[in-house]
Amino acid sequence: MFHLTTSRLASHRAHRLALLFNSSVVCRRSAARALKSWSTSSGCGLQKQRLQLTTQSCHLLTSRLTVDGAALSTKAPSSADSQAQPVAYHGPLTQTFRRLKIFSLSSLGLSCIMTPFIFIVESSLPLSARIVLAATALSTSSISTALVGWSGASYVVDLQKLSPADNGGIEGIEMTTLTLTLKRLVTRVYDVDFLVETKRPFSKWELAQSVLLPPSKEDALMAEKSDAPGEEETIAETFNATGEIVGRWIVKWENDGRGTCRGTGKVVRYFNVHEELL
C-alpha cells in the first residue's frame, strides 16, 4: 500500500514537472517570437522613418536648387552677353600657349634671380668673363620670352559672332586673346569686311590698313558702308579684363569709297585662328 502511494506521488510529481517544463518552453518560444516580431517591426519602422527623412531631405535640396536656379535666372545679363552669341570657336592650342608663356616667364625670373650669384660665388674667372656670362644668360632668356609673347599675342582663344540686330545690321565678331602675362584682351570687330589675310608669321587675319569700296552701281550694300569724305568711323575696339577700352581701329573715309585706317592705343590688329575649325 505504501509502495503504491509512493509510486503515485512520484508519477504525479513527474507529471507536474513535465507541465512546468512545457509551459516554460512555450513561454520562451512566445517571448522569442515577440522579440523577433518587435525587432522586425521596429527595424521596418526605423527604415520607414529613414526613408521619410531621406525623401524630405531630397525635397529640401530640390527646393533649394529650384530657388537658386530662379535666383540665377533673374540676374540681368551683361552687355557683352547681350551683344554676343555663345562661343562658337575655341582655340585648340590655348593650353599649349598658356603653359609656354608660364614656362618662359618662370625661366626669365629664375635667370634674374640666379645671375647675381655669378658675381658672388668665388671663382677663378675674371670679372669681364662673369659680365659676359651674366649678359648672355639674361639676354637669351629675355629674347626667348619676348618671342613667345610676340608669337602668342595674336592667338585667338575664343571667337563668337556679334548679333546683327545689336550691331547695326552688320555682321561682326568678337575675339579673345591673351597677353604675355595671361591677361585677357577682347577685340570686337564691328565689320568683318575689314578683316583681310596677313603675311605676318603666326597670324591668319589682320585689320585692313586701307579699304576701297565698290561703287554703288556694282554693289549698293557695300557702298552704303562708307560715310561722307573726311568722316571717321570706329571699325574695331579692344577691351581689357575690366571692360575698359584700351585701343581702337579707326577708318577715315575719302572720296570714291576709299578709306585709310589707323590705330589708337593698344589695339589688337593681328589674329591667329584655325580656319578649318570655323
Side-chain angles (χ1 to χ4, degrees):
M1 185 68 181
F2 178 76
H3 181 68
L4 291 172
T5 304
T6 305
S7 62
R8 289 177 180 175
L9 289 173
S11 63
H12 181 66
R13 289 178 180 178
H15 180 68
R16 290 184 64 184
L17 288 173
L19 290 175
L20 289 173
F21 178 76
N22 292 331
S23 63
S24 63
V25 170
V26 171
C27 292
R28 289 177 184 176
R29 287 178 181 177
S30 60
R33 289 176 182 174
L35 287 172
K36 186 176 181 179
S37 62
W38 178 82
S39 62
T40 304
S41 62
S42 62
C44 292
L46 289 174
Q47 290 179 358
K48 290 180 180 179
Q49 291 179 359
R50 290 176 181 175
L51 288 174
Q52 291 177 357
L53 290 174
T54 306
T55 305
Q56 292 177 359
S57 62
C58 290
H59 284 305
L60 288 174
L61 288 174
T62 305
S63 62
R64 288 179 181 176
L65 289 174
T66 305
V67 172
D68 293 340
L72 289 174
S73 62
T74 55
K75 290 183 178 180
S78 61
S79 59
D81 295 334
S82 61
Q83 295 182 359
Q85 297 178 358
V87 175
Y89 166 89
H90 183 73
L93 299 180
T94 300
Q95 293 299 327
T96 303
F97 274 99
R98 185 187 297 272
R99 293 168 183 169
L100 185 60
K101 291 177 181 180
I102 292 174
F103 176 77
S104 298
L105 290 174
S106 301
S107 62
L108 178 61
L110 185 62
S111 299
C112 294
I113 293 174
M114 297 301 295
T115 298
F117 288 94
I118 297 177
F119 302 96
I120 296 175
V121 176
E122 295 182 0
S123 176
S124 59
L125 291 175
L127 181 61
S128 59
R130 296 186 181 188
I131 293 175
V132 171
L133 287 176
T136 303
L138 289 177
S139 60
T140 303
S141 182
S142 301
I143 293 173
S144 63
T145 303
L147 287 175
V148 169
W150 177 78
S151 61
S154 61
Y155 189 78
V156 177
V157 299
D158 290 324
L159 184 148
Q160 54 192 359
K161 294 182 179 180
L162 296 177
S163 175
D166 299 328
N167 195 36
I170 304 175
E171 183 181 359
I173 58 175
E174 179 179 291
M175 293 173 283
T176 303
T177 55
L178 297 177
T179 63
L180 180 60
T181 56
L182 302 179
K183 294 182 179 180
R184 299 175 69 88
L185 292 176
V186 179
T187 303
R188 293 178 182 172
V189 181
Y190 299 112
D191 192 348
V192 294
D193 291 331
F194 285 82
L195 285 174
V196 296
E197 294 184 358
T198 181
K199 296 181 180 179
R200 177 186 182 271
F202 302 102
S203 297
K204 293 289 185 179
W205 301 337
E206 70 171 332
L207 293 172
Q209 186 68 39
S210 61
V211 293
L212 178 61
L213 299 179
S216 58
K217 296 180 180 180
E218 298 180 4
D219 194 342
L221 182 60
M222 290 291 293
E224 290 178 356
K225 293 184 179 181
S226 63
D227 292 339
E231 292 187 0
E232 293 184 347
E233 182 183 359
T234 300
I235 300 302
E237 290 178 328
T238 299
F239 303 83
N240 59 10
T242 60
E244 299 178 356
I245 298 176
V246 296
R248 287 188 175 95
W249 192 254
I250 302 173
V251 57
K252 184 177 180 180
W253 295 108
E254 301 175 2
N255 296 325
D256 300 330
R258 189 182 302 274
T260 304
C261 303
R262 59 183 177 86
T264 60
K266 298 179 180 179
V267 62
V268 178
R269 182 184 175 187
Y270 300 96
F271 306 96
N272 185 9
V273 297
H274 299 266
E275 294 182 344
E276 66 276 6
L277 299 179
L278 297 175

